[in-house]
Amino acid sequence: MKRLFVVMGVTVFLCACNNEEYTPKPKGYFRIELQKKDYVPVTSDDYPFTFEIPSVSYTIEVSKNNKDTKSDWLDIYYPFYKARIYCTYTPVNRHNFREAAEDSYRFVYRHTVKADAIEENPFAYPQKRIYGILYTLSGNTASPVQFTVTDSTKHFFRGALYFDGCTPNQDSLKPVINYISDDIAHIISTFRWK
């Protein structure tokens, strides 16, 4: 019996003396199931524009013709992902167009504190009078995607993607950010002025 304890003790001792270093595993995240979608038009006689949004989202009118800013605010809400594209439409003229464009630029570049990089992708569809910039912000920013759409004479529309009630984490949100970025590209490509 003594021999058994000695053999077991030596075995435990030899197994415990493993010289391999421990490497911690990175933090894991739950897999996010992306919903199948098709697109539906957003049209209203109240707005001078139309575009298509995915069927897994819906619009919420926040403010119509705000008396202070003369702007319309609406949200495109994704309930499954708790994501929201905050949209603002502002009628412009040659006097206030530059101010609207500079405000939008400042909103984007407020994120430089957390952003690793900000990529500007200008786009133009002259036949539809659609011009704008798509901003992609990398890093743990509160708003990973923002965009502007204008005809450069009368209309200015901007959108910014945010997630409700979560700490920005590019690693865990990346699949949803890519999913909604595709929708933003679709919004831009289907955008029309009335």
Side-chain angles (χ1 to χ4, degrees):
M1 187 75 160
K2 264 186 172 183
R3 233 185 241 180
L4 179 63
F5 285 125
V6 170
V7 171
M8 285 177 52
V10 170
T11 305
V12 169
F13 177 74
L14 290 175
C15 290
C17 292
N18 192 347
N19 287 336
E20 291 181 31
E21 289 186 29
Y22 172 74
T23 305
K25 295 190 181 344
K27 186 176 182 178
Y29 301 101
F30 293 108
R31 181 171 181 256
I32 299 173
E33 190 67 36
L34 300 175
Q35 297 177 306
K36 294 191 186 313
K37 59 186 171 185
D38 48 331
Y39 293 93
V40 295
V42 171
T43 57
S44 171
D45 292 338
D46 295 337
Y47 299 119
F49 54 81
T50 182
F51 55 85
E52 292 181 355
I53 62 171
S55 57
V56 297
S57 66
Y58 57 88
T59 59
I60 302 169
E61 187 175 290
V62 178
S63 173
K64 179 74 179 116
N65 202 2
N66 183 291
K67 65 181 177 183
D68 297 327
T69 62
K70 304 292 187 251
S71 298
D72 297 330
W73 297 337
L74 66 115
D75 296 348
I76 302 169
Y77 186 60
Y78 291 77
F80 187 76
Y81 305 110
K82 296 183 181 171
R84 193 178 299 261
I85 302 173
Y86 291 94
C87 301
T88 307
Y89 166 76
T90 305
V92 292
N93 56 42
R94 63 186 175 122
H95 302 293
N96 67 349
F97 176 79
R98 182 179 297 277
E99 180 184 343
E102 288 175 359
D103 281 349
S104 179
Y105 182 84
R106 277 194 297 275
F107 279 126
V108 171
Y109 280 88
R110 283 184 186 164
H111 295 276
T112 56
V113 174
K114 292 283 191 174
D116 295 334
I118 299 175
E119 184 180 332
E120 294 182 17
N121 297 305
F123 56 86
Y125 303 105
Q127 68 280 9
K128 297 189 301 183
R129 296 181 356 251
I130 301 287
Y131 307 92
I133 301 174
L134 175 64
Y135 299 94
T136 305
L137 294 83
S138 57
N140 293 329
T141 62
S143 177
V145 181
Q146 296 191 30
F147 66 98
T148 60
V149 177
T150 183
D151 67 350
S152 73
T153 57
K154 295 191 284 188
H155 308 289
F156 194 88
F157 185 91
R158 77 175 305 275
L161 171 63
Y162 286 87
F163 290 89
D164 294 342
C166 77
T167 303
N169 185 330
Q170 190 85 13
D171 289 339
S172 65
L173 295 174
K174 191 67 172 168
V176 179
I177 292 169
N178 291 342
Y179 178 84
I180 297 176
S181 292
D182 291 344
D183 295 341
I184 290 173
H186 188 83
I187 289 169
I188 292 168
S189 69
T190 59
F191 209 96
R192 305 278 188 279
W193 303 113
K194 292 182 184 175

